Amino acid sequence: MEIPLFILALVAAFIYTLVASIRNSSRIKSLEREVLSLKRLMAAGVTSPVAAQAESAETAEKPDFAAETESETAPGATAFQAEYASEPEEAAATEEVAREEAQPAPVATTVESPATKESFESLLGARWAVWAGGLALALGGIFLVKYSIESGLLSPAVRLSLAAIFGLLLGLAGEAVRRKAVPGIAATYSNAMIPGVLTAAGALTLFGVVYAAYGIYGYIGPGVAFGLLGLVAFATIGLSLLHGQALAGLGLLGSMLTPALISTETPNIWALFLFLTISWLATAAAARRQGWTVVPSLANAGLGLWALGYIGFSETISAEPPTLALLVMLAGTIFLWPGKTFDTPPAETGETAAPERRAIRALRLLLRPSLALNLTVSMAVILPAMGFLFADGGIDTHPALIVSALIAALAALGAARHYAVWPAIIAALGAQAAVSLMSRQGIDFIGLINDTSVSLPPVSVGYTAEIAMALGLGAVFVLCAFSFLKRKGADDADFAQLWAGIAALFPVWLATASFVEYGNLGRDWLHAAYGLGLGLVLLAGAEWLHRQNDEAYRKPLNILVLGSFAAFTLCLHTLTEGLATTVLLSVIGFVYVLATRYRNWDVLPWVMAVASVAVLGRIAWEPTIVGPQNLGTTPVFNALLPGYGIPALLAVASAWLLRDWPGVRAKNFLQAIASVMGLLAVAILIRHAMNGGTLDDSVPTLGEQSIYTLLTIGFSGVLMTLDLKSPSPVFRYGSMIAGVIAVINVLTMHFFTLNPYFTGENTGSIPFLNLLLIGYLLPALAYGGLAYYARGKRPPPYVSMLAVAGAALGFAWATLSVRRFWQGENIADWKGFLQGETYSYSVVWLLIGVLLLVLGSRFNARSLRLASAAFVLISVAKAFLIDMSNLEGVLRALSFIGLGAVLIGIGLFYQKILTRKPQA
């Protein structure tokens, strides 16, 4: 079964060669058109400015050439070609054409340009014939060998010798044709060049001869076969400099398959990865000479797959060979290919709308030239690095050290070149994934061997290497970020922001994961010192960027400042807990607010905003701040007072200090967060005091809820006052939101959920100073006062809502007070109604209606007059629907007499108002 499989592999490789050669057709075709046009002009002996301009326009368009550039660089890179340097050979060709066009000519002559569309005859006879002929040559040699084997005509040694001679003759024929071919023909049919096809067929034949001599007949040993296959592969790569990228792909394929074709019981891993590394370097050198991107991308992938396969299928792993091979690949990417070829800062584009501009800038950042090279080299490094963490076999080096070296080198690539965006991103994400995987796997992933016959250096079972990896990689990212910002940041604002974000986020993230998984959660001085040092370094970096006085550094500076706060927060959590952590978190944020007196950095107020949000997050996680078992029962003077009060006071002080800050959004957000934290502090202290010194999820009583309602109403009034003194949308809309929340509390809690008529709660023994006073009358007066205060300052519908809510609460207080007068302290609904009680309701409701009418007339409040009409209508409906059937004797008569008198008086009152002449 080995021979058919090998034949299929050769055929597949040859087909790949042909397909890859097609990709170069449009590129050479465009250059061919330029050369032929120039030759015709030179043959005519004359040229003209008009013709030169026409030829220049034709050269500038080059549709096929642009398409090939897009295919060889990266998907989506065509849109940004104007921002980056061209490949070397393209630049050379352009300069040569420009020099020839610039030569003066005496007389003008019109010359037609060559046809751009190839005829069917040329396509069929000049191209497909060559491709089919090359394939036929390769298959013919294979079939001839197969026939001689089956017929027994020749011995294996003779067959192999003849096949080798045939392969060499094909290569020599290709070289002879290349030297004697007419240049015009070679340029026209570049992707069907007979020399390249003959050379590829010869290379495939030689590959087959060497493998058959080793794997089928055993004439040569694995060492000799390995060397011969490698020699053929490298020779093919070298000849690709003459015959194109497709032949280089064939040579690369042969070099990558050579170790897989040679099997031995004692493999030499150092020799394997040394050979693969040399193969990669040879491919990169050829790509640098010719400006290729496809073949070196395949070389990256091949080396990465070999490393990953070795890690996954080896019983014992020697980590140094694959690690050094991958490090050489990264170094070659930085200095050899693409090296400095695409290392050009992007050009600025025209301004568009802000969201569109941000999206375009993000796409430009991710889709930079050499995208395929960036992605393949990044994945070729990060996947084997992750593979070391899951290696089933034994390993002679701690995986933390290997992973750290690979990720650090990948990050260095990201900081070394403008185009290396993806290496920077994947290095950062890979570092966090590695630390997370190590913490999930525990100590089993280290790869200790159960087989005692295998002797490997001992591996530490502690967590020193894991902590060192996490903290060390964080330091590497900071150093890479500052290196990029110093050398290239001013010219590449987008990438500078990305590196600033990596330096601000990932070191803190890595250190946090290390602290949670391996640190001392009580008090960890190592991680605390790391967090403190990291915060100071990031602040120092921000100060350095500030002194550069460059607008390109403005956003990276702000990002570094936020990262410093995150680092200080980590330090705080490693040394403190509970109340101290909550309070000091706000103190750190307030220090950044004080820094606004010395620096006008945009981000400083936002640091306090982030700190306040973090405090609210801690409160949501543990409302008692210190834990229920440690919370005292003394009202007000307990851990809740500093835990809620100090952050609220610092937030209020920050909002006041920044009242003149030019950043409107930050100022408004701080005002809002300060208002919320102040209200929350008062509310939580009330809750604690009303529940006997405990905080739980029990339903509040009517008295407690009434305090919350009064607090919300007062909060609305305070915000309204602040808005009048210092106009702000936060105060303006916040005051109305607080009023609406208070109304919702009244509708849901006071009237239904906590109403003593439904709950049966005792109202108290004192006639006036009882539960009904605090639950209904005081909120009614508060609503009335707030509505009066809001007149002319807030929209009329909002003022009317407040007035109606106050009237409704007053109506509830009066009604429930009547029921308490007749039923006693308990006014539950199961007691029913007395006749005197029913009559009293009518009297009280009519009095309320009259009172509201007077107040509405006095203050010219239409909402109160409408509320008065509503109460009167309720009284009329009650008289006719309830009093007529439930009251008897004199009470029924008095009910209707009183109702009639009041209605007549109201009518007379309205008549006087409506007939009164308007005053000036």
Side-chain angles (χ1 to χ4, degrees):
M1 295 297 293
E2 294 183 7
I3 296 177
L5 290 176
F6 180 65
I7 292 175
L8 291 176
L10 290 177
V11 173
F14 186 73
I15 292 175
Y16 166 79
T17 304
L18 295 177
V19 173
S21 65
I22 297 173
R23 298 171 60 87
N24 294 326
S25 62
S26 59
R27 177 197 189 100
I28 306 300
K29 187 189 303 180
S30 62
L31 295 177
E32 174 268 350
R33 284 200 306 270
E34 298 173 9
V35 172
L36 288 183
S37 300
L38 293 174
K39 282 186 176 183
R40 291 189 179 187
L41 291 173
M42 294 174 66
V46 291
T47 185
S48 67
V50 177
Q53 292 177 4
E55 293 296 329
S56 300
E58 180 185 358
T59 304
E61 291 178 2
K62 296 187 293 183
D64 294 333
F65 180 75
E68 175 60 21
T69 303
E70 178 181 356
S71 65
E72 285 194 358
T73 54
T78 304
F80 312 117
Q81 284 178 350
E83 304 169 15
Y84 301 96
S86 304
E87 295 184 359
E89 60 182 11
E90 298 171 6
T94 304
E95 291 176 2
E96 182 66 24
V97 172
R99 284 196 299 269
E100 295 184 7
E101 289 181 350
Q103 295 177 358
V107 187
T109 302
T110 303
V111 180
E112 296 181 358
S113 61
T116 58
K117 185 176 181 181
E118 187 175 2
S119 66
F120 176 76
E121 178 183 5
S122 175
L123 181 66
L124 182 63
R127 297 187 185 276
W128 288 98
V130 175
W131 300 333
L135 179 60
L137 283 174
L139 291 177
I142 294 172
F143 291 150
L144 183 60
V145 174
K146 183 176 184 293
Y147 172 75
S148 65
I149 293 173
E150 294 173 351
S151 302
L153 298 178
L154 300 173
S155 65
V158 175
R159 291 194 299 267
L160 291 176
S161 299
L162 292 177
I165 293 173
F166 179 68
L168 292 175
L169 289 176
L170 288 175
L172 293 175
E175 179 62 16
V177 174
R178 184 189 69 83
R179 292 188 177 186
K180 295 182 179 181
V182 180
I185 297 177
T188 303
Y189 302 106
S190 57
N191 66 338
M193 288 179 64
I194 296 174
V197 173
L198 292 175
T199 305
L204 286 173
T205 303
L206 292 177
F207 274 124
V209 168
V210 175
Y211 179 75
Y214 161 73
I216 299 175
Y217 301 110
Y219 286 140
I220 56 178
V224 176
F226 187 87
L228 290 176
L229 288 175
L231 180 62
V232 175
F234 290 135
T236 306
I237 294 175
L239 290 173
S240 68
L241 297 175
L242 302 175
H243 299 292
Q245 186 171 201
L247 194 61
L250 178 61
L252 174 65
L253 178 64
S255 64
M256 290 297 172
L257 288 178
T258 293
L261 297 176
I262 306 301
S263 61
T264 177
E265 295 181 356
T266 58
N268 189 334
I269 303 304
W270 279 103
L272 168 65
F273 281 98
L274 178 61
F275 172 81
L276 294 173
T277 303
I278 294 175
S279 175
W280 186 93
L281 289 172
T283 305
R288 177 186 175 90
R289 175 69 179 271
Q290 302 298 107
W292 296 330
T293 56
V294 175
V295 171
S297 299
L298 296 176
N300 295 338
L303 185 56
L305 289 175
W306 265 109
L308 193 61
Y310 169 68
I311 296 169
F313 296 100
S314 298
E315 295 181 357
T316 59
I317 300 174
S318 178
E320 288 84 357
T323 303
L324 290 177
L326 295 174
L327 291 178
V328 170
M329 179 182 67
L330 290 172
T333 303
I334 296 175
F335 300 107
L336 182 58
W337 179 254
K340 296 182 179 180
T341 303
F342 304 108
D343 193 30
T344 305
E348 294 295 331
T349 58
E351 295 294 326
T352 58
E356 297 177 1
R357 184 167 63 250
R358 286 193 292 267
I360 292 175
R361 292 172 73 94
L363 286 175
R364 290 174 58 238
L365 181 66
L366 297 178
L367 300 179
R368 293 193 171 186
S370 191
L371 176 63
L373 288 171
N374 284 334
L375 288 176
T376 52
V377 74
S378 301
M379 300 310 295
V381 171
I382 207 66
L383 290 180
M386 298 298 106
F388 279 115
L389 301 180
F390 293 97
D392 295 329
I395 185 170
D396 59 355
T397 306
H398 200 296
L401 302 179
I402 304 171
V403 173
S404 299
L406 291 176
I407 294 178
L410 186 60
L413 169 60
R417 301 299 177 209
H418 284 286
Y419 57 79
V421 175
W422 284 104
I425 296 175
I426 293 176
L429 296 176
Q432 187 58 43
V435 173
S436 301
L437 289 174
M438 291 179 70
S439 64
R440 301 296 185 272
Q441 295 292 324
I443 204 65
D444 296 332
F445 73 89
I446 294 180
L448 297 175
I449 298 178
N450 296 325
D451 188 357
T452 57
S453 63
V454 180
S455 177
L456 289 177
V459 178
S460 173
V461 297
Y463 295 128
T464 303
E466 288 85 343
I467 297 175
M469 183 187 78
L471 303 186
L473 285 178
V476 166
F477 287 129
V478 173
L479 291 176
C480 289
F482 285 162
S483 173
F484 184 87
L485 290 172
K486 180 179 180 180
R487 296 182 299 108
K488 303 175 181 293
D491 300 326
D492 196 347
D494 295 334
F495 205 0
Q497 294 176 41
L498 177 61
W499 263 118
I502 291 175
L505 173 62
F506 284 92
V508 177
W509 193 356
L510 293 170
T512 302
S514 174
F515 168 68
V516 173
E517 296 294 339
Y518 311 116
N520 182 359
L521 298 181
R523 184 165 295 172
D524 193 320
W525 292 102
L526 174 62
H527 288 88
Y530 181 84
L532 179 61
L534 177 61
L536 293 176
V537 168
L538 293 178
L539 275 183
E543 177 64 21
W544 170 71
L545 293 179
H546 171 73
R547 296 185 179 184
Q548 301 304 309
N549 195 24
D550 194 327
E551 181 64 20
Y553 286 132
R554 185 172 61 88
K555 290 183 179 179
L557 182 153
N558 293 331
I559 295 173
L560 292 180
V561 173
L562 277 177
S564 68
F565 170 74
F568 292 143
T569 302
L570 170 64
C571 175
L572 180 64
H573 280 82
T574 57
L575 297 178
T576 63
E577 59 182 356
L579 178 63
T581 305
T582 303
V583 173
L584 291 178
L585 194 59
S586 290
V587 172
I588 294 175
F590 187 70
V591 171
Y592 281 83
V593 173
L594 296 178
T596 57
R597 297 176 176 268
Y598 306 97
R599 292 290 182 267
N600 59 346
W601 300 343
D602 299 336
V603 75
L604 291 176
W606 287 106
V607 174
M608 183 60 190
V610 172
S612 299
V613 172
V615 169
L616 292 178
R618 288 186 55 85
I619 289 174
W621 179 263
E622 179 52 73
T624 62
I625 304 295
V626 294
Q629 68 279 3
N630 299 321
L631 182 61
T633 59
T634 304
V636 180
F637 299 101
N638 50 70
L640 298 178
L641 181 62
Y644 284 78
I646 294 178
L649 289 176
L650 292 177
V652 172
S654 300
W656 185 80
L657 290 174
L658 297 171
R659 62 191 182 278
D660 297 326
W661 185 257
V664 177
R665 292 182 179 179
K667 181 169 59 178
N668 290 342
F669 188 87
L670 274 177
Q671 292 172 353
I673 203 75
S675 302
V676 171
M677 294 182 72
L679 177 64
L680 181 62
V682 177
I684 204 69
L685 291 174
I686 293 173
R687 175 73 172 169
H688 176 267
M690 296 290 291
N691 283 271
T694 60
L695 286 179
D696 51 31
D697 56 354
S698 60
V699 179
T701 62
L702 177 60
E704 182 181 347
Q705 181 59 43
S706 299
I707 295 177
Y708 298 150
T709 301
L710 291 171
L711 182 63
T712 309
I713 296 172
F715 181 66
S716 177
V718 170
L719 292 181
M720 195 184 310
T721 302
L722 293 175
D723 183 48
L724 294 177
K725 294 183 178 180
S726 179
S728 169
V730 173
F731 296 150
R732 183 166 60 256
Y733 294 111
S735 63
M736 290 189 289
I737 291 173
V740 171
I741 292 175
V743 171
I744 294 174
N745 285 336
V746 167
L747 293 177
T748 57
M749 308 297 288
H750 291 253
F751 284 111
F752 297 102
T753 305
L754 301 178
N755 192 331
Y757 177 76
F758 297 112
T759 62
E761 182 181 358
N762 194 290
T763 59
S765 58
I766 304 176
F768 181 75
L769 302 175
N770 51 50
L771 182 62
L772 300 179
L773 173 68
I774 190 175
Y776 295 94
L777 183 57
L778 292 181
L781 296 175
Y783 270 116
L786 183 61
Y788 178 76
Y789 185 56
R791 293 182 64 193
K793 306 178 184 68
R794 291 294 179 264
Y798 174 74
V799 177
S800 299
M801 180 195 69
L802 297 178
V804 170
L809 283 170
F811 168 77
W813 173 79
T815 302
L816 294 177
S817 295
V818 169
R819 182 167 179 79
R820 185 185 181 283
F821 176 80
W822 291 96
Q823 300 288 352
E825 299 175 11
N826 193 314
I827 58 174
D829 57 345
W830 56 268
K831 285 188 173 184
F833 294 91
L834 303 176
Q835 283 198 8
E837 177 186 352
T838 303
Y839 176 75
S840 299
Y841 290 141
S842 299
V843 175
V844 171
W845 292 353
L846 286 173
L847 291 176
I848 293 176
V850 173
L851 178 61
L852 290 178
L853 181 60
V854 173
L855 292 176
S857 175
R858 171 65 179 81
F859 297 106
N860 194 22
R862 185 169 179 269
S863 58
L864 292 181
R865 295 197 298 269
L866 292 177
S868 169
F871 284 118
V872 172
L873 289 176
I874 292 174
S875 301
V876 171
K878 175 180 176 296
F880 284 94
L881 297 178
I882 298 177
D883 294 354
M884 187 177 292
S885 58
N886 292 337
L887 296 180
E888 298 178 355
V890 68
L891 291 179
R892 179 188 298 177
L894 291 177
S895 175
F896 280 88
I897 292 173
L899 176 61
V902 171
L903 291 176
I904 292 173
I906 291 175
L908 180 60
F909 182 80
Y910 268 104
Q911 288 178 4
K912 289 185 178 182
I913 292 178
L914 295 177
T915 57
R916 182 182 303 168
K917 294 181 180 181
Q919 298 179 0

